[in-house]
Amino acid sequence: MLLIRCPYCEAERPELEFTYAGEAHIARPAEPSKLTDEQWRDYLFIRSNPRGIHFERWRHQHGCARFFNAVRDTVTDKFVMTYKAGLPRPSLSELENARS
Amino acid sequence: MTSYRISGRGRIDRSKPVSFTFNGASYSGFQGDTLASALLANGVHLVGRSFKYHRPRGILSAGSEEPNALVGTHRGAGRFEPNTRATVLEIFDGLAASSQNHWPSLKWDIGAVNDALYMLFSAGFYYKTFMWPKSFWNKVYEPFIRSAAGLGVSPSAPDPDTYASRFAHFDVLVVGAGPAGLAAALEAGRSGAKVILCDEQAELGGSLLSETDASIDGRPGWEWLEAATNELAALGNVTVLLRTTAIGYYHQNLLGLCQRLTDHLANPPEGAPRERMWKVRARQVVLAQGAIEKPLVFAGNDRPGVMLAGAARSYLNRYGVKVGHRPVVVTSHDSAWLAAFDLAQAGAKVGAIVDTRPEIGRHLKERAAALGIEVLAGWTVTGTSGRLRVSSVRTNPVSRSGVVGRARVIACDALLMSGGWTPSLHLFSHTKGKLDWNEERQMFLPGEQTEACRCAGAGNGNFGLAAALEEGAKAGAAAAADAGFKTEARSYAVEGEIALAGVSHRELPTDRNTSRAKAFVDFQNDVTAKDIRLAVREGFKSIEHIKRYTTTGMATDQGKTSNINGLAIASDAVGKAAPSVGLTTFRPPYTPTSFGAFTGYNRGALFDVTRKTPIDAWAEENGAVFEPVSLWRRAWYFPRNGEDMRAAVARECNAVRESLGMFDASTLGKIEIVGPDAAEFLNRMYTNPWSKLAPGRCRYGVLLGEDGFIRDDGVIGRLTSDRFHVTTTTGGAARVLAMMEDYLQTEWPDLKVWLTSTTEQWAVIALNGPNARKLLEPLIEGIDLSEEAFPHMSVAEGRICGVPTRLFRMSFTGERGYEVNVPARYGRAVWEKIYEAGQQYGITPYGTETMHVLRAEKGYIIVGQDTDGTLTPDDAGLGWAIGKNKPDFVGKRSLSRPDMLKGNRKQLVGLLTADPNTVLEEGAQIVLDPNQSVPMRMVGHVTSSYWSATLGRSIALAVIEGGRARQGETVHIPMPGRMHAANIVGTVFYDPENKCLSALG
Amino acid sequence: MLHQHHPLVGREIAVNTAVPLVIRPAADTARFSLRIDPAELAKASEVFGLQLPAKIGGLSRSAEKRAVCLGPDEWYLTAPLTEQAAVEGAFAELYAEVIHSLVDVGHREVGIEIEGSDSVLALQSAVPFDVGAMPVGSGCRTIFDRAQIILLRETQHRFHIEVWRSFADHVWGILQAAGREIELGI
């Protein structure tokens, strides 16, 4: 069971309070009707599934109830950092800082 | 006292005799004995039969690594446990233990014929043997495998014990209370850190409990141990858990510790849990797991009486038990010499010390000479004899060039072996910490780590008391420092310790035909050196494959005594260094752990949350039969006077259609949506339009996933312009709220709207039937129930029976319907008032089954039953619920994807069976041509199927490819026994004009 | 008024240890879920008559009222039952000026009090986070075995659980088992 830092509660809490919510930074298109079938397919189904750094969403379901974003290494399972929903993807240097 | 129990030795309490039985025979031991030590004290070595060959087996070790001595234990009714290791089982008065894997008796076992047929049972025998003919699978092979498989016998009665669990948080967790662990815990404890120390044994000390020669800081070892134990007990910040096994090491220093609370007690206190699983999160972890002695691999190394030398020393020094009167020692490591010395001093006649090494340290040879023990240096062991107990050992000199000389047979009643020691890396390995191979020492050692942990003592390859204390103290101090506490590791002065060295071997050299030798590597799974070499010859090169093919290391002991020997032989056979052949991964649990310990409190009534509505107790008192619906238990039907389900449901259905029924709908999910953008939010979430819904009105809403498939549905009422009362399905409540929160928080954070779950705020009483309004009118205040003021699909706030209510007019039955929402604590009282008031109309409480039948008669779907995550609104006949003019809603874009527009999508239809008395099975498949060959082409399946009392026949809903265009056609439904024909019809079986929705009784 | 059925009414877990541990259902209160822009906290505090805590985990108490901050824009309020209508009325008035959501959840929840020096131990039988490290005067939503709860630490040795009514029996059952262990000292 992981410990996850909730960026809203500013505290590390046990994984049991959280739920996973899929890949992060996939915004719902503003006007879906203008998308081609292929574009919509990509939005719906195509995910990066990387080995290594993964940007993903979690929800502090049994806590502050907020959705937030996280960077996790899919090889070690470990979180690199977490940040509030709506914030941009962290830069490489920010990730490096978080790792050290 | 038996002749094997030595006076003046051991830590057992001789003032407390304990009697127990083994295979029905009575024995006695002392408090502090394990079953193994007590049996050995009674001269019993034979304790079981092996798994595959049914060979007689004895006690190999003195610890939790034991592969052989597995017994069944009986502690009274329902309390039978198989595969308990006799070496860790503390005896208590009344213990009944029995041996396993034999028939008819331990000493005469039919299954031992396998031993003579060993050619059949070589590596991969399952794969090779049970291949043909195909027809043998069901009748011959599978029953044989099933009856032969499994260690011991599973308990058949429910476990009457209870189990506990506890989360705990510490600065420092120390695993293992041997010298290294004790030193670590002392340092960390003295620093003020919050420390937890656990050990699987019944007392602290680890290897120190078997060590009688050395002194620490000028005191005998056991005196030091007592002082250390007392100091730890006195430190308020240190928690000591005995009989507690660290079973698994998980992410971020979370460890599972299984504490055995009552197994050692003859009379456990009433209500005491048997075991507790601690889930400990520690800032820092010190692993002081010690080391496990390796057996030597030679023919006949599994005979009862052949045991690890260190174990023999433990039995002598810790339990006061001499394992034999005439032991012989065979070893490649100095440590076994100490067993010979101690036994000789205790009066045993040590036949010889056979050491594979030609050169032996002078200090050992001198001491052996002084004790009159013959030393055979540079010799090997090539066999043993004795049917149920070793009676002699065959030993041969090995020349410098490796030539095995003439055999000499030495009589013995115990053969004590040592192939050196393997650091216990199990927990470290759970963390995916890197293991480094040390070629010179032929062992893996902890390498790069992934968690905040330190390994100390023998578990880190630093053998010996002095090294363990020193490294333990340093690790404990460093762990405390890293957890934010100040400390300095103290040093210990150890005297009387002999420096120990040794070498490692594969199979010992032999002069006999190796293809016939049974030199065991894995005792529990009966894997021999020959099996491993055969696997390599047959092409397996990685230990992961060799392991699976031969099953070496795959038994319940996870190869604690066998992995390194197996790897050494495999790497020799492959011709590559050990690391490139690989070590198999250790996985939790470290030792076998009961299901109860994992389950904790979650059994019986606490197995899972059982949610009950405020009206549930009334239903129970009134004879309801219940069914689980998600976490809820719901009244299923209310049988009267011995009615069966069908009769009860028919009566309940008729009551609703003819007069009045009442139904507990409290489990429906409810979400209160508040804010100026509430309608806009609903517009975006649901397929239907909401902006124009007037306050006081409600509407059926359909919720899709972004993929266009139906996720949920429910009636949504508008209370004011800014406040909606949304209902969801019972099972969908949490999911729908989470989905809404997701969109609101992450896609549309600009919307001014908030969501609150009110599922449990309200008790909901659904009243259905032509007399519903007549019943309600006198009970309701503040709401005009007339048709004009409160038509179908209305909502209003008022009072009922004097308490606040949100009253809905809606119907899930096709009859005039109301849903009375009252604050939950009033639910039962209002229910009772309504029930009382409804007697004049024959008001009938009904359950979920009647609700299902009534709604099916009207063709109302149940999401999750008639839909399965692949149905669009159009597929389900709900195309009308889509707001055609809305630019967007969740899932809208997907509805125009090419697959969604195909003509032969599965569509919801009604089915009427040719035989009106046949009720189809829900889930039954549907075919067009009943005469086609198997496998038939399936075009859909039955989703709902009931006996309809209203129609006097069966009805069903089904999804069928292109179903709506096939209305009038006959389809066929294969079911067990026969094929049924049914006619495709519309989904509405009852009152298609909806006249009943506003009919009055 | 009609009789109210309380899931745990009349029940108590009394653990006879040196310092007794007592677990009992709490007296009922009015309860509200308040959602409001944190920038408007001062106005909400004024309306409620108690300073609402600004930080998640914060707990404010007066003799009669409680407010715990559960999320960035979420507060859980309790007040005497007699003030139910007054609180609702005051917030309804505020709505014209400051939009927010106040939802009555008084019947959704059941309160359980746990008092005694072993209360942390009892809670840790099913609460995964470090309850011992929870500051006095704080509160949070968390998980108790499989039930979501709100946990308040009111004093060093007194905790208060708010749990949805249909989950209360489950929480109670585990507390009962944990209490038995504490009583036996094992």
Side-chain angles (χ1 to χ4, degrees):
Chain A
M1 182 175 63
L2 294 163
L3 283 173
I4 302 174
R5 182 173 181 79
C6 172
Y8 293 92
C9 296
E10 297 177 337
E12 274 202 328
R13 305 284 292 197
E15 188 183 338
L16 288 171
E17 291 183 359
F18 295 82
T19 46
Y20 178 69
E23 188 168 353
H25 301 291
I26 298 172
R28 187 174 192 271
E31 290 182 273
S33 60
K34 299 212 169 139
L35 266 53
T36 64
D37 286 335
E38 288 68 29
Q39 287 170 323
W40 184 248
R41 173 203 63 199
D42 289 354
Y43 160 70
L44 271 185
F45 301 122
I46 306 302
R47 297 295 180 266
S48 63
N49 195 26
R51 185 180 189 280
I53 291 296
H54 187 230
F55 296 86
E56 58 194 26
R57 302 181 332 128
W58 286 76
R59 185 182 184 207
H60 194 186
Q61 171 113 19
H62 304 295
C64 67
R66 292 296 100 183
F67 285 85
F68 61 89
N69 293 328
V71 187
R72 196 173 54 94
D73 188 325
T74 59
V75 177
T76 65
D77 224 17
K78 288 188 174 167
F79 282 83
V80 179
M81 62 183 292
T82 57
Y83 52 102
K84 291 181 179 178
L87 293 181
R89 206 184 280 257
S91 67
L92 271 178
S93 64
E94 282 172 299
L95 286 181
E96 282 309 314
N97 285 340
R99 268 181 189 277
S100 58
Chain B
M1 198 175 307
T2 68
S3 62
Y4 294 98
R5 189 76 79 172
I6 308 298
S7 61
R9 278 190 187 252
R11 302 174 63 83
I12 45 162
D13 186 345
R14 285 165 210 260
S15 69
K16 291 184 180 145
V18 173
S19 57
F20 65 96
T21 65
F22 179 64
N23 283 346
S26 295
Y27 295 98
S28 69
F30 295 110
Q31 187 159 315
D33 263 326
T34 62
L35 178 63
S37 69
L39 286 173
L40 290 170
N42 285 282
V44 177
H45 275 257
L46 173 66
V47 292
R49 289 273 175 170
S50 72
F51 176 53
K52 196 158 80 182
Y53 299 123
H54 290 235
R55 284 168 68 96
R57 286 284 165 81
I59 295 159
L60 182 73
S61 74
S64 65
E65 69 270 32
E66 178 62 34
N68 274 349
L70 306 184
V71 298
T73 59
H74 311 257
R75 303 166 191 275
R79 293 186 167 88
F80 170 75
E81 183 180 84
N83 301 323
T84 308
R85 288 147 296 152
T87 49
V88 298
L89 174 63
E90 294 171 61
I91 58 167
F92 55 86
D93 261 323
L95 167 69
S98 55
S99 54
Q100 305 185 151
N101 299 338
H102 55 73
W103 186 84
S105 80
L106 177 57
K107 290 188 178 169
W108 170 243
D109 172 25
I110 292 280
V113 69
N114 290 357
D115 196 23
L117 301 174
Y118 67 91
M119 298 302 276
L120 285 177
F121 289 86
S122 59
F125 94 100
Y126 282 102
Y127 307 112
K128 292 170 182 165
T129 310
F130 301 113
M131 290 174 64
W132 49 265
K134 194 181 168 193
S135 62
F136 268 40
W137 253 112
N138 291 343
K139 297 251 157 59
V140 183
Y141 295 147
E142 194 180 331
F144 172 79
I145 292 172
R146 288 202 183 279
S147 69
L151 281 169
V153 180
S154 293
S156 52
D159 182 350
D161 282 313
T162 59
Y163 296 83
S165 66
R166 184 176 288 169
F167 293 94
H169 302 77
F170 288 90
D171 295 314
V172 179
L173 163 63
V174 181
V175 176
L182 284 171
L186 283 167
E187 294 306 331
R190 288 167 188 155
S191 78
K194 200 178 159 199
V195 177
I196 183 169
L197 169 67
C198 73
D199 194 283
E200 60 183 356
Q201 305 225 26
E203 57 178 329
L204 300 178
S207 64
L208 202 49
L209 298 170
S210 306
E211 175 61 64
T212 45
D213 297 337
S215 72
I216 302 167
D217 290 345
R219 285 192 281 188
W222 286 3
E223 256 181 49
W224 179 86
L225 173 60
E226 195 181 339
T229 305
N230 291 339
E231 184 180 346
L232 288 170
L235 285 168
N237 54 323
V238 178
T239 302
V240 175
L241 299 182
L242 293 172
R243 302 185 177 92
T244 302
T245 307
I247 60 158
Y249 194 148
Y250 308 90
H251 281 308
Q252 288 169 292
N253 276 0
L254 180 81
L255 282 91
L257 313 182
C258 180
Q259 181 183 22
R260 291 171 296 282
L261 296 165
T262 58
D263 269 6
H264 61 291
L265 301 175
N267 296 300
E270 182 66 28
R274 181 181 174 222
E275 295 177 333
R276 175 186 291 126
M277 186 71 81
W278 290 70
K279 297 153 197 176
V280 173
R281 181 84 66 180
R283 286 180 210 283
Q284 298 290 321
V285 170
V286 176
L287 295 176
Q289 282 195 278
I292 292 172
E293 199 166 20
K294 273 189 295 186
L296 287 168
V297 181
F298 56 88
N301 62 346
D302 66 324
R303 213 174 288 282
V306 181
M307 68 163 57
L308 293 167
R313 195 164 180 240
S314 287
Y315 287 119
L316 181 64
N317 292 336
R318 184 170 171 190
Y319 301 100
V321 175
K322 194 165 59 169
V323 298
H325 296 307
R326 288 169 290 115
V328 166
V329 169
V330 54
T331 184
S332 66
H333 196 275
D334 294 347
S335 63
W337 291 61
L338 304 184
F341 298 159
D342 287 354
L343 278 162
Q345 275 166 342
K349 175 84 190 90
V350 178
I353 298 175
V354 180
D355 199 312
T356 61
R357 300 168 295 175
E359 308 296 339
I360 310 292
R362 225 179 68 187
H363 61 293
L364 295 176
K365 285 201 287 197
E366 282 172 3
R367 206 157 153 203
L371 289 164
I373 304 172
E374 183 185 5
V375 171
L376 301 170
W379 283 55
T380 183
V381 167
T382 54
T384 62
S385 62
R387 195 171 77 87
L388 300 176
R389 165 101 181 249
V390 66
S391 60
S392 69
V393 52
R394 186 176 184 272
T395 177
N396 316 49
V398 182
S399 74
R400 298 265 165 191
S401 55
V403 177
V404 178
R406 216 163 64 95
R408 174 180 155 191
V409 174
I410 305 173
C412 64
D413 63 353
L415 180 58
L416 315 181
M417 61 180 166
S418 178
W421 297 79
T422 304
S424 280
L425 302 171
H426 301 73
L427 291 171
F428 184 79
S429 177
H430 294 174
T431 68
K432 301 215 164 59
K434 202 167 158 287
L435 303 181
D436 293 337
W437 175 250
N438 185 313
E439 181 63 29
E440 188 200 328
R441 303 176 72 190
Q442 289 286 301
M443 61 178 66
F444 282 99
L445 293 171
E448 195 184 318
Q449 62 198 48
T450 62
E451 297 285 345
C453 74
R454 294 172 169 78
C455 297
N460 200 28
N462 291 310
F463 299 116
L465 182 56
L469 288 168
E470 185 188 335
E471 195 175 26
K474 280 186 182 155
D482 282 357
F485 296 83
K486 271 200 189 131
T487 180
E488 206 172 301
R490 70 195 57 195
S491 57
Y492 295 91
V494 173
E495 281 168 40
E497 188 182 26
I498 301 173
L500 302 172
V503 299
S504 286
H505 288 286
R506 298 173 193 103
E507 310 94 312
L508 293 187
T510 183
D511 58 340
R512 302 168 105 180
N513 181 353
T514 52
S515 71
R516 303 189 66 86
K518 279 210 212 70
F520 283 89
V521 173
D522 183 327
F523 293 84
Q524 198 173 104
N525 265 354
D526 270 353
V527 181
T528 63
K530 177 170 54 80
D531 292 326
I532 295 173
R533 291 191 183 273
L534 177 63
V536 173
R537 280 203 303 281
E538 291 184 359
F540 297 95
K541 305 292 181 205
S542 151
I543 198 70
E544 293 290 351
H545 297 149
I546 294 166
K547 160 183 154 178
R548 282 162 179 80
Y549 193 58
T550 64
T551 73
T552 188
M554 286 177 70
T556 63
D557 64 345
Q558 285 197 59
K560 288 187 177 64
T561 54
S562 61
N563 278 341
I564 296 297
N565 281 335
L567 178 60
I569 293 163
S571 80
D572 180 59
V574 173
K576 282 186 181 166
S580 59
V581 178
L583 182 67
T584 59
T585 311
F586 295 111
R587 302 193 194 282
Y590 173 65
T591 51
T593 306
S594 71
F595 282 109
F598 287 108
T599 304
Y601 300 107
N602 298 121
R603 52 187 314 238
L606 298 174
F607 172 71
D608 202 345
V609 178
T610 301
R611 303 180 69 180
K612 295 177 186 170
T613 74
I615 296 154
D616 176 274
W618 187 94
E620 187 170 307
E621 288 159 27
N622 284 274
V625 176
F626 292 93
E627 69 163 341
V629 180
S630 66
L631 287 180
W632 294 93
R633 75 162 196 173
R634 301 192 70 179
W636 194 12
Y637 57 98
F638 290 83
R640 278 186 195 165
N641 308 327
E643 278 175 335
D644 63 7
M645 180 167 165
R646 182 160 157 161
V649 170
R651 174 181 49 73
E652 292 170 12
C653 286
N654 287 333
V656 174
R657 293 266 180 254
E658 286 160 18
S659 178
L660 184 57
M662 67 192 299
F663 174 69
D664 179 4
S666 304
T667 63
L668 278 184
K670 299 169 227 28
I671 302 166
E672 191 133 325
I673 301 194
V674 182
D677 292 329
E680 173 56 20
F681 178 67
L682 289 172
N683 278 339
R684 297 188 194 184
M685 292 304 303
Y686 283 81
T687 61
N688 324 58
W690 300 95
S691 303
K692 289 182 182 158
L693 184 72
R697 299 288 293 160
C698 49
R699 179 170 286 164
Y700 171 76
V702 178
L703 182 73
L704 310 183
E706 204 66 271
D707 54 13
F709 298 125
I710 296 171
R711 286 288 194 281
D712 204 77
D713 66 352
V715 169
I716 299 173
R718 189 170 202 169
L719 298 166
T720 68
S721 65
D722 290 7
R723 191 176 288 255
F724 287 76
H725 179 117
V726 173
T727 67
T728 73
T729 59
T730 294
R735 204 165 50 233
V736 170
L737 182 58
M739 178 179 168
M740 286 182 174
E741 281 286 352
D742 192 351
Y743 278 92
L744 185 55
Q745 288 181 32
T746 67
E747 299 294 349
W748 312 313
D750 52 313
L751 289 184
K752 298 274 180 271
V753 59
W754 294 275
L755 318 172
T756 306
S757 172
T758 49
T759 301
E760 298 230 36
Q761 170 70 11
W762 303 101
V764 184
I765 302 162
L767 295 166
N768 282 274
N771 285 315
R773 178 170 143 194
K774 270 195 269 181
L775 167 89
L776 276 176
E777 262 166 348
L779 304 178
I780 292 279
E781 295 165 66
I783 304 171
D784 177 357
L785 292 183
S786 71
E787 212 53 28
E788 303 69 39
F790 203 64
H792 185 58
M793 300 311 271
S794 296
V795 61
E797 292 182 280
R799 298 182 87 77
I800 183 165
C801 309
V803 302
T805 182
R806 278 184 188 170
L807 183 67
F808 283 76
R809 169 120 186 248
M810 54 186 276
S811 176
F812 198 46
T813 60
E815 302 301 326
R816 169 183 289 276
Y818 297 87
E819 289 194 357
V820 179
N821 288 246
V822 292
R825 289 198 296 274
Y826 295 119
R828 178 163 178 176
V830 172
W831 174 278
E832 285 172 325
K833 287 277 181 206
I834 289 175
Y835 183 64
E836 200 181 299
Q839 290 307 313
Q840 57 184 312
Y841 307 109
I843 192 166
T844 301
Y846 64 93
T848 48
E849 186 66 16
T850 291
M851 176 269 281
H852 278 210
V853 175
L854 296 173
R855 64 88 205 177
E857 288 170 351
K858 284 291 289 182
Y860 296 151
I861 65 159
I862 288 190
V863 172
Q865 174 166 340
D866 301 299
T867 71
D868 59 1
T870 67
L871 256 63
T872 65
D874 184 65
D875 297 340
L878 298 173
W880 57 268
I882 295 176
K884 299 284 182 300
N885 300 322
K886 295 207 303 181
D888 189 19
F889 55 81
V890 172
K892 179 180 167 75
R893 176 62 185 84
S894 288
L895 297 178
S896 58
R897 294 184 67 228
D899 266 10
M900 303 297 213
L901 302 170
K902 280 187 180 162
N904 68 336
R905 289 191 61 79
K906 284 183 182 166
Q907 294 167 329
L908 191 74
V909 294
L911 286 184
L912 288 174
T913 47
D915 171 7
N917 289 313
T918 295
V919 180
L920 297 170
E921 276 181 27
E922 288 176 354
Q925 295 295 320
I926 296 167
V927 301
L928 297 177
D929 173 8
N931 300 316
Q932 61 187 302
S933 58
V934 175
M936 297 188 176
R937 200 181 108 65
M938 296 171 284
V939 296
H941 66 275
V942 178
T943 61
S944 291
S945 177
Y946 308 96
W947 174 258
S948 165
T950 310
L951 303 173
R953 60 153 301 136
S954 69
I955 57 166
L957 297 173
V959 289
I960 296 179
E961 286 177 13
R964 279 204 292 276
R966 292 183 182 276
Q967 281 204 26
E969 289 182 23
T970 299
V971 290
H972 302 272
I973 300 101
M975 289 204 325
R978 60 170 287 209
M979 181 80 74
H980 297 276
N983 200 18
I984 299 181
V985 296
T987 55
V988 184
F989 300 94
Y990 172 77
D991 186 26
E993 301 86 24
N994 288 330
K995 284 181 183 158
C996 297
L997 290 175
S998 38
L1000 282 167
Chain C
M1 282 292 249
L2 291 178
H3 181 67
Q4 298 192 27
H5 289 266
H6 193 296
L8 302 176
V9 75
R11 294 162 76 177
E12 180 175 279
I13 305 169
V15 177
N16 296 313
T17 43
V19 183
L21 173 69
V22 180
I23 301 169
R24 54 177 113 73
D28 266 322
T29 60
R31 303 172 170 96
F32 306 95
S33 172
L34 172 68
R35 308 291 300 275
I36 192 167
D37 183 342
E40 307 287 358
L41 206 56
K43 280 177 185 148
S45 301
E46 195 181 317
V47 164
F48 186 54
L50 177 69
Q51 181 60 46
L52 304 188
K55 208 170 162 349
I56 298 175
L59 168 66
S60 320
R61 291 170 67 209
S62 67
E64 298 190 312
K65 290 177 179 169
R66 260 189 305 229
V68 53
C69 181
L70 296 177
D73 66 347
E74 182 181 1
W75 286 263
Y76 186 78
L77 312 178
T78 68
L81 284 167
T82 50
E83 292 195 34
Q84 168 104 22
V87 171
E88 283 176 354
F91 274 101
E93 243 172 71
L94 177 67
Y95 191 84
E97 188 189 344
V98 180
I99 52 158
H100 64 269
S101 161
L102 184 85
V103 175
D104 175 8
V105 292
H107 288 238
R108 185 181 76 177
E109 310 272 345
V110 173
I112 300 172
E113 283 171 6
I114 299 145
E115 187 160 19
S117 52
D118 283 328
S119 48
V120 170
L121 205 55
L123 286 165
Q124 296 274 216
S125 60
V127 176
F129 85 91
D130 190 354
V131 179
M134 186 180 187
V136 171
S138 71
C140 60
R141 201 158 26 214
T142 185
I143 192 107
F144 182 108
D145 191 46
R146 293 166 194 183
Q148 178 178 289
I149 62 167
I150 295 169
L151 182 64
L152 310 178
R153 186 172 203 169
E154 298 184 320
T155 70
Q156 183 69 20
H157 295 311
R158 192 173 79 238
F159 290 83
H160 182 108
I161 286 175
E162 292 277 291
V163 58
W164 286 13
R165 58 175 295 134
S166 71
F167 290 84
D169 264 339
H170 189 80
V171 170
W172 190 266
I174 289 178
L175 287 172
Q176 210 153 24
R180 179 73 184 139
E181 294 162 39
I182 291 167
E183 190 160 57
L184 291 169
I186 58 173

